Amino acid sequence: MSTLNNPTEQVLTGMTSNPRGRFIAPTAGVSAHTREITLAQAIREALAEEMRRNPSVFIIGEDVAEAGTPFKVLAGLVEEFGPERVIDSPISEAGITGLGVGGAMTGMRPVVDIMFGDFIGLAMDQIVNQAAKVHYMSGGKLQVPLVIRTTLGATRRSAAQHSQSLHAWVSHIPGLKVALPSTPYDAKGLLKTAIRDNNPVVFFEDKMMYQLKGPVPEEEYTIPFGVADIKREGTDITLVATSSMVQVCLTAADLLEQEGISAEVIDPRTTFPLDKQALIDSAKKTSRAIVVDEGYERYGVTAEIASIIADGAFYYLDAPVKRMGAMDVPIPFSPVLEDLTVPAPERVAELAKTLCGR
Amino acid sequence: MSTLNNPTEQVLTGMTSNPRGRFIAPTAGVSAHTREITLAQAIREALAEEMRRNPSVFIIGEDVAEAGTPFKVLAGLVEEFGPERVIDSPISEAGITGLGVGGAMTGMRPVVDIMFGDFIGLAMDQIVNQAAKVHYMSGGKLQVPLVIRTTLGATRRSAAQHSQSLHAWVSHIPGLKVALPSTPYDAKGLLKTAIRDNNPVVFFEDKMMYQLKGPVPEEEYTIPFGVADIKREGTDITLVATSSMVQVCLTAADLLEQEGISAEVIDPRTTFPLDKQALIDSAKKTSRAIVVDEGYERYGVTAEIASIIADGAFYYLDAPVKRMGAMDVPIPFSPVLEDLTVPAPERVAELAKTLCGR
Amino acid sequence: MPHSELSGAKGIPVQAIMGDEQATALSQEQWLHMYEQMLKIRIFEEHVNELYKSAKMPGLAHLYSGEEAVAVGVCEALRRDDYITSTHRGHGHCLAKGASVDRMFAELLGKEAGYCRGKGGSMHIADQDTGNLGANAIVGGSTAIATGAAMSSKMRGSEQVAVCFFGDGALGQGLLYEAMNMAALWKLPVIYVCENNLYGEYTHFSEMVAGEISARARAFGIPAEEVDGQDVREVHAAAKRLVERARSGEGPAFLICNTYRYYGHHVGDISRSYYRSKEEEQEWRTNHDPLTLLSRWLLEEQGVDAGVFKEIERRVTAEVEAGEQFALDASYPEPGEVAEDVYA
Amino acid sequence: MPHSELSGAKGIPVQAIMGDEQATALSQEQWLHMYEQMLKIRIFEEHVNELYKSAKMPGLAHLYSGEEAVAVGVCEALRRDDYITSTHRGHGHCLAKGASVDRMFAELLGKEAGYCRGKGGSMHIADQDTGNLGANAIVGGSTAIATGAAMSSKMRGSEQVAVCFFGDGALGQGLLYEAMNMAALWKLPVIYVCENNLYGEYTHFSEMVAGEISARARAFGIPAEEVDGQDVREVHAAAKRLVERARSGEGPAFLICNTYRYYGHHVGDISRSYYRSKEEEQEWRTNHDPLTLLSRWLLEEQGVDAGVFKEIERRVTAEVEAGEQFALDASYPEPGEVAEDVYA
Ligand SMILES: Cc1ncc(C[n+]2csc(CCOP(=O)(O)OP(=O)(O)O)c2C)c(N)n1
Ligand SMILES: Cc1ncc(C[n+]2csc(CCOP(=O)(O)OP(=O)(O)O)c2C)c(N)n1
Ligand SMILES: [Mg+2]
Ligand SMILES: [Mg+2]
């Protein structure tokens, strides 16, 4: 029964048969020496490499050490780096974020783990009034090289307080950077960049994608922020997709292909800095665009991106820019309802067909 | 010196010579029995009337009783209703919000006072994960008739943590309603509606507008949510403006009139429910639109409204829909910098002229 | 005995309405009722675990097995219209406060007949009729809500008491201290019940809690008591005293119940050796089981017949099985319901 | 004597490097230095008030006058590279940690030469060079930041101590308890200095704080001390002890300094009778003034000549006046700077 979870699953690794899951080839930078690893492994590798490289990097969060987080993403790190650098904290989201800010201001590079993205509400003051503003308020003297790793994504049957995608909140705030990878390759490269960045970065991982596999080079690499990635080229319509929605849109593109519609799927990878030009250029090329993101639709990420495209590609558009976010309801528990709240490939394809006049 | 505050001011009532301030005639519902009162008085009247009408309404917040808040908005209420219904709390934004949620679930109608809108970060979990979701999560059984009154607006020389306009955050969240009045008339009518609503409502008052005067009827009235108000009719361009930006746009419209451009100024009054149709209709009529709001521009309220208009009026627009929010920087202290961060009438008018091809 | 049959007796202090002898007699009945309630939770949770293992339940659930004496001991000290707030590990609280198994199962399976029409699920069951303001998936998230309900009760003069259940993990959440401060300042009728089951997820509480738990309440001028949370008689006696104290206007209290969860943090947490030993688990099950402790006392010191327990078990099992079947047979919500109940 | 000239003596415990006699001799100089620092704060704040009243300062400011012994007594127990976090009422902490008046005035006036290039203003002055991690306009907002700085110091093995200044009002913020819990668990070198000046804005602390303040720290296993915050000798002695304890790895401490602000909550709060009496204000100014208490002791018991105080006052006044003039003459930031420093 696809609406239910896998009963033998012992850890919260997301569904093993992720309905959104599919293999995605990274579109750039992959060398001959690649392996297939999961997104969770990619995250773990990024952290391990950066912790080896720079002794000031450390991890703090709830059940990050022996447990390796409930998603097991950090498994093995405490064994290599010890409990001084992989620190199990009390259940104090605001507190650990604040400790991270103070640590970052004084020479460390903390990576704070906020288990579920829904919990950032608890830490918003520390993220927004402290981390985001210290550099500016101090006239450029103090820096906050802090990474906050957290999750997004629904369909895990976790209901209203464990399923939200709240990245719009932090994308709204000057002083923060926001990354949201959609493949193992992007996850590793973006997280390494985040850790080396001298600014607070909020890093959202789709909890349903942790077991998604993809090629990742053996060699070290990083991915710059603010560079969108075309996950699939196309000519008839642009599907701008973030995080979890990249796979939904790739599947939609497959469906559209069967109808003779060539869809381009482009992933901004960071909502700030945002590669506006690449998004606009794609829309100019195709003359149609849909923006798909798993955050609540209203006042969400789709609004910003849609309005940028509608403005920047105004004279090239053959149809209004459309948006698909999560349905504007608290996320329900019942699988039959929950699945309705997230954009699905069929719905994206349907809308795309309409825009293309089919 | 207009960049400095009034030295004789004894309470934080905002500037007496508010640079944005001007008289605004309410466009509807005003009877013969009107008086000129300030926005602060209008708020106070709304609270007093609703507290007289319904004994389950009470106020809780920091320095709300004898002090009547630092802005003196609540002055006199504790004298009429006593300290049991106008409750001075400790400095615990999350705590008082949570108390409000619990009170609202059990028969009361709390009005929680969060002094500066910047502080909602402290209460976001209670607002978003609790207040907004209780009704839905309980399958419709429990209700949260809660009002959170807070402030927005810069140019008070209060720097980065006391000047933000964070209404986009809560507008993003299903389960919440969000009101932001721009006149004394609207303030009173909308607040009364908010208090009678059976849902959590976040109510943003522009702290710089408290001393703004405007006509308010003697008789009781309420203003329904989700009904935009045309503050000035026009034919050449639509200026969608919220809260503090209504006056900015009215001034801009004056400037434009001198250039022979007729600007329509429309105020949605509530960001949720949002009167999409009225906004789209106005843009269809004028064929051009600028959305002006004091929140940070990126991923802010202007994005939602602009993308709705760009979509809904697509075939009627002669120019791309433009947006003006606060500059995407933490709000600086220095007046010479701070004033640059907020949309000004001249800049709105300039952009409007460009859009109109002048 | 179904919960409702005793509700009269629970509403009014027993001693107030009858002589000492009768009180003892009824007491025995009360203890048996508590036994039944605890057993109902135990068997309910076992069925939940099976539903998970057989892939019939969506998502996960945090089982209350082992901690039954806390919920039952406390809730039996409450009136039906008193409030509780509950946690992610909330099935026990919900049943103890009087919810029925069928609609709970239905909720856990995401069915329309569930307490929340399938929208809440395991972590959000609320039941207004029994004063359950809802489970909460934010650790510590309901501490202020319970305090607000107590404030509301005081304002309305309704003499309702609010009980806030939370785990040792919630001691890490600042909100608890904000709420306790106000409860103490304003003498609100709220009881903070800290269920210290030794772990927050996979971490021992001693790694997360500095100092003394009871001192954290006392620092706010709130009296704190600590009881063996496996002994329902101890829990109930303390709860009764504190609830009556709160009801009579003397303010909040804090009750630490030392307890243990038999299963993993959630149903999927089955390899636990990296954070706790099999021996420790066995020790609690063997020597500190709330059902065994109560039944042994009733058998050995109160002369209750062994057959009585058999009969209770038969009844409870039947009730749970029927409830489960009801839920399995029940229908899912209609798609259109997804957009209902967002606004009142 | 400028702060820097004493820094060597402050870095190393006095008794460790010289005999008892010399220690006393240096002590007197130290006390005079503290007097000078306190006086500098006092005079600085008077000028700030005048700048406000003459409409030369944008916005508002929260004056530290009356509380000088707290900032100075504590900061004189710190190394230059030790950290402090400060509050909306932060001018005193900033000066006491070694900032200079000219750049502070410039910041208050929003000038480019200010410590934060005019971007921070009164409520956000930070000075990395003296370890001041910044004032904070969120009540309690820096409690975790200070704790994080202490954690960082421990990780880097730098033996720096972090001091977190906050008002009685911050006791209402849950974050403080989250931070103290972790500081205690991990024995972090952080001192929580609670400046109880009796009021949070316009409300007496007794209406906002239930129980005992010191118990709130002790509940987390953090030792708490309470001193007369008007007596710099008492403050300094306690601070020194606690700072050295923290530096040597023995963990956090909590220091309550009972004090009083002479002016209103901010410069615009001039009609205060609805929340406190003129008599109360007078009593503090007359009988508990930190400058008077220290100078009287130095005069009467330490044989310091009255002329010394005159000389200090002359020097400080000149410094403050020059600093103010510097700031008045300084230029505003260029418009383009508004978009700088958003990202590093
Ligand atoms: C604010 C918040 N942080 C983290 C979590 C994830 N989480 C769920 S249960 C749990 C442990 C809670 O421990 P405790 O309060 O002792 O309750 P128990 O599970 O032992 O009953 C955690 C960390 C959460 N739900 N909410
Ligand atoms: C989180 C937060 N809530 C409210 C305020 C508004 N506010 C500014 S100062 C203050 C009182 C602070 O009192 P206290 O901590 O005792 O410091 P004091 O002003 O007495 O030095 C309040 C409520 C704020 N700045 N931050
Ligand atoms: Mg626990
Ligand atoms: Mg104070």
Side-chain angles (χ1 to χ4, degrees):
Chain A
M1 214 174 151
S2 80
T3 52
L4 301 180
N5 66 311
N6 179 340
T8 60
E9 140 191 288
Q10 291 174 35
V11 293
L12 308 189
T13 45
M15 294 192 191
T16 41
S17 63
N18 182 345
R20 305 184 201 136
R22 46 165 279 167
F23 171 86
I24 304 173
T27 47
V30 179
S31 79
H33 304 275
T34 61
R35 317 132 294 154
E36 290 273 309
I37 61 174
T38 65
L39 195 141
Q41 283 172 307
I43 295 288
R44 185 153 61 239
E45 279 191 5
L47 286 164
E49 287 177 16
E50 294 304 302
M51 290 177 81
R52 280 176 214 131
R53 181 173 175 271
N54 187 340
S56 60
V57 178
F58 72 94
I59 295 170
I60 184 167
E62 295 150 22
D63 288 301
V64 292
E66 284 72 23
T69 81
F71 307 107
K72 301 293 173 206
V73 176
L74 306 186
L77 293 182
V78 73
E79 285 74 9
E80 176 171 355
F81 300 102
E84 305 78 26
R85 293 182 70 194
V86 184
I87 304 169
D88 269 344
S89 78
I91 307 174
S92 306
E93 282 76 9
I96 59 176
T97 304
L99 257 66
V101 177
M105 287 164 75
T106 56
M108 303 300 290
R109 305 186 86 83
V111 178
V112 173
D113 189 297
I114 304 285
M115 199 182 288
F116 285 80
D118 312 65
F119 307 161
I120 65 167
L122 293 160
M124 278 306 265
D125 183 71
Q126 291 296 306
I127 297 173
V128 167
N129 282 328
Q130 312 300 339
K133 296 183 175 38
V134 162
H135 185 63
Y136 192 85
M137 293 193 307
S138 70
K141 283 187 301 189
L142 295 164
Q143 298 189 344
V144 185
L146 171 72
V147 176
I148 296 170
R149 281 185 51 246
T150 191
T151 53
L152 57 70
T155 70
R156 212 177 129 261
R157 317 323 181 194
S158 308
Q161 296 172 339
H162 278 64
S163 309
Q164 296 169 92
S165 302
L166 294 172
H167 46 296
W169 280 355
V170 281
S171 303
H172 184 45
I173 302 299
L176 300 176
K177 297 184 180 181
V178 182
L180 48 175
S182 65
T183 66
Y185 176 80
D186 288 354
K188 182 170 177 185
L190 291 170
L191 183 53
K192 286 169 68 85
T193 300
I195 294 171
R196 296 183 195 183
D197 200 292
N198 284 330
N199 299 284
V201 178
V202 190
F203 195 91
F204 286 90
E205 298 159 18
D206 174 15
K207 60 180 95 74
M208 299 303 288
M209 231 158 44
Y210 278 131
Q211 296 314 307
L212 174 78
K213 285 198 168 184
V216 172
E218 300 272 5
E219 304 88 68
E220 169 153 64
Y221 68 98
T222 60
I223 297 175
F225 282 2
V227 180
D229 187 40
I230 296 177
K231 298 292 185 201
R232 171 179 176 138
E233 293 209 35
T235 52
D236 296 331
I237 186 166
T238 295
L239 305 177
V240 181
T242 61
S243 184
S244 54
M245 294 298 105
V246 169
Q247 294 174 74
V248 166
C249 286
L250 286 169
T251 308
D254 287 346
L255 298 174
L256 289 166
E257 192 169 39
Q258 293 161 22
E259 313 261 345
I261 295 173
S262 162
E264 175 147 306
V265 178
I266 181 166
D267 173 4
R269 299 199 288 202
T270 47
T271 52
F272 188 86
L274 182 69
D275 191 351
K276 297 183 189 182
Q277 202 53 53
L279 304 175
I280 292 169
D281 287 347
S282 174
K284 280 185 179 173
K285 182 178 79 175
T286 63
S287 74
R288 293 173 184 85
I290 304 175
V291 186
V292 191
D293 173 86
E294 202 178 334
Y296 298 122
E297 188 167 293
R298 77 175 187 241
Y299 301 93
V301 160
T302 59
E304 175 73 18
I305 295 179
S307 76
I308 284 171
I309 294 174
D311 180 357
F314 184 76
Y315 297 102
Y316 297 78
L317 291 172
D318 288 341
V321 181
K322 292 288 179 184
R323 301 157 49 191
M324 286 182 77
M327 192 180 281
D328 287 322
V329 304
I331 294 156
F333 165 69
S334 187
V336 298
L337 301 183
E338 185 182 28
D339 287 342
L340 301 173
T341 67
V342 181
E346 298 71 26
R347 281 176 47 222
V348 175
E350 206 52 53
L351 181 57
K353 280 197 288 184
T354 313
L355 284 193
C356 293
R358 306 291 180 89
Chain B
M1 216 174 151
S2 82
T3 50
L4 303 180
N5 66 312
N6 181 339
T8 61
E9 140 189 289
Q10 291 173 35
V11 293
L12 308 190
T13 45
M15 295 190 191
T16 41
S17 62
N18 182 345
R20 305 184 202 136
R22 45 165 280 166
F23 170 85
I24 304 173
T27 47
V30 179
S31 79
H33 305 275
T34 60
R35 316 130 297 153
E36 290 273 309
I37 61 172
T38 64
L39 195 142
Q41 284 172 307
I43 295 287
R44 186 155 59 240
E45 279 191 8
L47 286 163
E49 286 177 18
E50 293 305 302
M51 289 176 81
R52 280 176 214 132
R53 182 174 175 268
N54 187 338
S56 59
V57 178
F58 72 94
I59 294 169
I60 184 168
E62 297 151 21
D63 289 301
V64 294
E66 283 73 21
T69 81
F71 307 106
K72 302 293 173 207
V73 175
L74 307 186
L77 292 182
V78 72
E79 285 74 10
E80 177 171 355
F81 300 102
E84 305 78 27
R85 291 183 70 194
V86 185
I87 304 169
D88 269 343
S89 77
I91 307 174
S92 306
E93 283 77 9
I96 59 177
T97 304
L99 257 66
V101 177
M105 287 164 74
T106 56
M108 303 300 289
R109 305 186 86 83
V111 179
V112 173
D113 189 297
I114 305 284
M115 201 181 288
F116 285 80
D118 311 66
F119 308 160
I120 64 168
L122 292 159
M124 279 305 267
D125 183 72
Q126 290 296 307
I127 297 173
V128 167
N129 281 329
Q130 313 300 339
K133 297 183 175 34
V134 162
H135 185 62
Y136 193 85
M137 293 192 306
S138 71
K141 283 186 301 190
L142 295 163
Q143 298 188 345
V144 185
L146 170 71
V147 176
I148 296 171
R149 282 185 49 248
T150 191
T151 54
L152 58 70
T155 70
R156 213 178 126 259
R157 315 325 180 193
S158 307
Q161 296 173 339
H162 278 65
S163 309
Q164 295 169 94
S165 301
L166 294 172
H167 46 297
W169 281 354
V170 283
S171 303
H172 184 46
I173 302 299
L176 300 177
K177 297 185 180 180
V178 182
L180 46 176
S182 65
T183 66
Y185 176 80
D186 287 354
K188 182 171 178 184
L190 291 170
L191 183 53
K192 287 170 67 87
T193 299
I195 294 170
R196 295 184 195 183
D197 200 293
N198 285 330
N199 299 285
V201 179
V202 189
F203 195 90
F204 286 89
E205 299 160 17
D206 175 13
K207 60 180 95 74
M208 299 303 288
M209 232 158 44
Y210 278 132
Q211 296 314 306
L212 174 79
K213 285 199 166 182
V216 172
E218 299 272 6
E219 303 88 69
E220 168 152 65
Y221 68 97
T222 59
I223 297 175
F225 282 1
V227 180
D229 187 41
I230 296 176
K231 297 293 185 200
R232 171 181 176 136
E233 293 208 34
T235 52
D236 296 330
I237 186 165
T238 295
L239 304 177
V240 181
T242 61
S243 184
S244 53
M245 293 299 105
V246 169
Q247 294 173 72
V248 166
C249 287
L250 286 169
T251 308
D254 286 346
L255 297 174
L256 289 166
E257 191 169 40
Q258 293 162 22
E259 314 261 346
I261 296 173
S262 161
E264 175 146 306
V265 178
I266 182 166
D267 173 3
R269 298 200 288 203
T270 47
T271 52
F272 188 87
L274 181 68
D275 191 351
K276 298 183 189 183
Q277 202 52 53
L279 304 176
I280 292 169
D281 288 347
S282 175
K284 280 185 179 172
K285 181 177 76 174
T286 63
S287 75
R288 294 174 185 84
I290 305 176
V291 186
V292 190
D293 174 84
E294 203 178 336
Y296 298 123
E297 188 167 293
R298 77 175 188 239
Y299 301 93
V301 160
T302 59
E304 175 73 17
I305 296 178
S307 76
I308 284 171
I309 293 175
D311 179 358
F314 184 76
Y315 299 101
Y316 298 78
L317 291 173
D318 288 341
V321 181
K322 292 289 177 182
R323 300 156 50 190
M324 287 182 77
M327 192 180 281
D328 288 321
V329 303
I331 294 156
F333 166 68
S334 187
V336 297
L337 301 182
E338 184 181 28
D339 287 341
L340 300 173
T341 68
V342 182
E346 298 71 24
R347 280 176 47 222
V348 175
E350 206 53 51
L351 180 58
K353 279 198 288 183
T354 313
L355 284 192
C356 293
R358 306 292 178 89
Chain C
M1 179 181 326
H3 183 270
S4 55
E5 290 181 29
L6 267 178
S7 63
K10 289 196 302 151
I12 306 159
V14 171
Q15 282 77 0
I17 49 169
M18 54 193 76
D20 257 30
E21 224 163 274
Q22 265 183 298
T24 318
L26 189 72
S27 273
Q28 195 175 89
E29 224 166 321
Q30 275 197 305
W31 296 126
L32 283 170
H33 173 68
M34 292 195 210
Y35 181 86
E36 178 157 348
Q37 287 289 85
M38 295 200 294
L39 189 67
K40 195 191 290 180
I41 296 170
R42 177 73 52 90
I43 295 179
F44 181 88
E45 295 293 55
E46 277 161 11
H47 282 246
V48 172
N49 202 26
E50 287 308 316
L51 284 168
Y52 169 75
K53 290 205 275 182
S54 56
K56 291 189 183 126
M57 181 181 70
L60 299 164
H62 307 81
L63 303 183
Y64 198 69
S65 309
E67 310 191 17
E68 296 89 348
V70 179
V72 172
V74 170
C75 289
E76 287 296 317
L78 297 178
R79 300 195 322 217
R80 189 179 173 89
D81 70 340
D82 283 335
Y83 298 115
I84 64 164
T85 62
S86 167
T87 69
H88 58 285
R89 196 176 304 289
H91 306 166
H93 312 134
C94 193
L95 286 167
K97 194 65 176 51
S100 58
V101 293
D102 49 0
R103 296 189 60 199
M104 281 190 61
F105 273 125
E107 189 59 37
L108 265 55
L109 299 185
K111 301 296 182 74
E112 169 68 28
Y115 272 108
C116 309
R117 304 177 71 194
K119 285 177 171 160
S122 165
M123 293 204 288
H124 299 292
I125 306 186
D127 178 20
Q128 212 176 6
D129 294 340
T130 56
N132 182 352
L133 297 178
N136 207 310
I138 300 296
V139 167
S142 69
T143 52
I145 292 174
T147 309
M151 181 171 68
S152 155
S153 148
K154 185 168 179 172
M155 286 175 149
R156 288 179 288 108
S158 64
E159 294 187 350
Q160 291 158 290
V161 171
V163 167
C164 177
F165 290 104
F166 60 93
D168 47 291
L171 294 166
Q173 290 284 318
L175 184 66
L176 171 65
Y177 307 95
E178 298 191 4
M180 288 202 296
N181 186 40
M182 290 187 274
L185 281 172
W186 303 328
K187 282 202 161 197
L188 303 180
V190 53
I191 318 289
Y192 301 98
V193 176
C194 177
E195 302 178 312
N196 182 3
N197 63 6
L198 301 186
Y199 298 89
E201 287 194 352
Y202 319 106
T203 304
H204 196 263
F205 89 100
S206 61
E207 291 175 46
M208 303 204 287
V209 180
E212 283 292 319
I213 296 179
S214 60
R216 296 200 182 181
R218 292 199 187 108
F220 294 86
I222 297 179
E225 294 193 24
E226 185 163 351
V227 295
D228 177 354
Q230 305 307 90
D231 183 345
V232 73
R233 294 188 297 136
E234 231 188 87
V235 173
H236 183 66
K240 206 172 156 124
R241 202 166 49 239
L242 299 177
V243 166
E244 257 143 48
R245 185 178 168 280
R247 204 183 304 286
S248 65
E250 290 174 67
F254 195 95
L255 181 61
I256 302 164
C257 299
N258 294 310
T259 184
Y260 199 76
R261 59 165 157 79
Y262 287 173
Y263 290 95
H265 170 59
H266 55 70
V267 285
D269 170 29
I270 56 179
S271 309
R272 299 186 285 273
S273 56
Y274 71 94
Y275 72 90
R276 70 186 204 187
S277 69
K278 283 235 158 38
E279 294 68 43
E280 178 183 294
E281 294 186 356
Q282 204 45 60
E283 158 69 13
W284 281 87
R285 280 182 184 266
T286 313
N287 296 323
H288 302 280
D289 183 68
L291 287 162
T292 311
L293 289 178
L294 179 61
S295 63
R296 188 181 304 148
W297 176 73
L298 287 169
L299 278 165
E300 293 174 7
E301 296 186 36
Q302 301 294 306
V304 175
D305 192 86
V308 173
F309 296 100
K310 288 237 172 66
E311 169 57 18
I312 290 176
E313 183 165 352
R314 195 201 50 71
R315 194 163 58 219
V316 168
T317 307
E319 184 184 345
V320 171
E321 281 172 357
E324 181 179 6
Q325 198 54 50
F326 166 85
L328 287 166
D329 296 343
S331 53
Y332 284 108
E334 293 298 317
E337 291 183 34
V338 69
E340 290 174 12
D341 304 325
V342 183
Y343 291 95
Chain D
M1 184 180 322
H3 184 269
S4 55
E5 290 179 30
L6 267 178
S7 61
K10 289 195 300 148
I12 307 160
V14 171
Q15 283 76 1
I17 48 169
M18 54 191 78
D20 257 30
E21 223 164 275
Q22 266 184 302
T24 318
L26 187 75
S27 274
Q28 196 176 88
E29 225 167 318
Q30 275 196 304
W31 295 126
L32 283 170
H33 173 67
M34 292 195 210
Y35 181 85
E36 179 158 345
Q37 286 290 84
M38 295 200 297
L39 188 66
K40 196 191 290 179
I41 297 170
R42 178 71 54 90
I43 295 179
F44 181 88
E45 295 293 55
E46 277 161 11
H47 282 246
V48 171
N49 203 25
E50 287 308 316
L51 284 168
Y52 169 75
K53 289 205 276 181
S54 57
K56 290 188 183 124
M57 181 182 70
L60 299 164
H62 307 81
L63 304 183
Y64 197 69
S65 310
E67 310 191 19
E68 296 89 348
V70 179
V72 172
V74 169
C75 288
E76 287 296 317
L78 297 177
R79 299 196 321 218
R80 189 178 173 89
D81 71 340
D82 283 336
Y83 298 114
I84 65 165
T85 62
S86 167
T87 69
H88 58 285
R89 197 176 303 290
H91 306 167
H93 311 133
C94 193
L95 287 168
K97 195 64 175 51
S100 58
V101 293
D102 48 1
R103 296 188 61 198
M104 281 191 61
F105 273 125
E107 189 58 38
L108 265 56
L109 298 186
K111 301 296 181 73
E112 168 68 27
Y115 272 108
C116 309
R117 303 176 71 194
K119 284 175 172 163
S122 166
M123 292 203 290
H124 299 292
I125 306 187
D127 177 20
Q128 214 176 3
D129 294 339
T130 56
N132 182 351
L133 298 177
N136 207 310
I138 300 297
V139 166
S142 69
T143 52
I145 292 175
T147 309
M151 181 171 66
S152 155
S153 149
K154 184 167 180 173
M155 287 175 150
R156 289 179 288 107
S158 64
E159 295 190 348
Q160 290 158 290
V161 170
V163 167
C164 177
F165 290 103
F166 60 93
D168 47 291
L171 294 165
Q173 289 285 318
L175 184 65
L176 171 65
Y177 307 96
E178 299 191 5
M180 288 202 296
N181 187 38
M182 290 186 274
L185 281 171
W186 303 328
K187 281 201 161 200
L188 303 180
V190 53
I191 317 289
Y192 301 98
V193 176
C194 178
E195 301 178 311
N196 183 3
N197 62 7
L198 301 185
Y199 298 89
E201 286 194 354
Y202 320 107
T203 304
H204 197 263
F205 88 100
S206 60
E207 291 175 47
M208 303 205 286
V209 180
E212 284 291 319
I213 296 179
S214 60
R216 296 200 182 180
R218 293 200 187 107
F220 294 86
I222 297 180
E225 294 193 24
E226 185 163 350
V227 296
D228 177 355
Q230 304 308 90
D231 183 344
V232 73
R233 294 187 298 137
E234 231 188 88
V235 173
H236 183 65
K240 208 174 155 122
R241 201 167 48 242
L242 299 177
V243 166
E244 257 143 47
R245 185 179 169 281
R247 204 184 303 287
S248 65
E250 290 175 66
F254 194 96
L255 180 62
I256 303 164
C257 299
N258 294 311
T259 184
Y260 199 76
R261 60 166 157 78
Y262 287 172
Y263 290 95
H265 171 59
H266 56 70
V267 284
D269 171 29
I270 55 180
S271 309
R272 300 185 285 273
S273 57
Y274 70 93
Y275 70 92
R276 71 186 203 186
S277 68
K278 282 238 162 35
E279 293 69 43
E280 179 182 293
E281 295 186 358
Q282 204 48 57
E283 158 68 13
W284 281 87
R285 280 182 184 265
T286 312
N287 297 323
H288 303 279
D289 182 67
L291 287 162
T292 311
L293 289 178
L294 180 60
S295 63
R296 188 182 301 148
W297 176 73
L298 287 169
L299 278 165
E300 294 174 6
E301 297 186 37
Q302 300 295 305
V304 175
D305 193 85
V308 172
F309 296 99
K310 289 238 170 67
E311 170 56 19
I312 291 176
E313 182 163 351
R314 195 201 50 72
R315 195 164 58 221
V316 167
T317 306
E319 184 185 345
V320 172
E321 282 173 357
E324 180 178 6
Q325 198 54 50
F326 166 84
L328 287 167
D329 294 344
S331 53
Y332 284 106
E334 294 297 318
E337 291 182 35
V338 70
E340 291 174 12
D341 305 324
V342 183
Y343 291 94

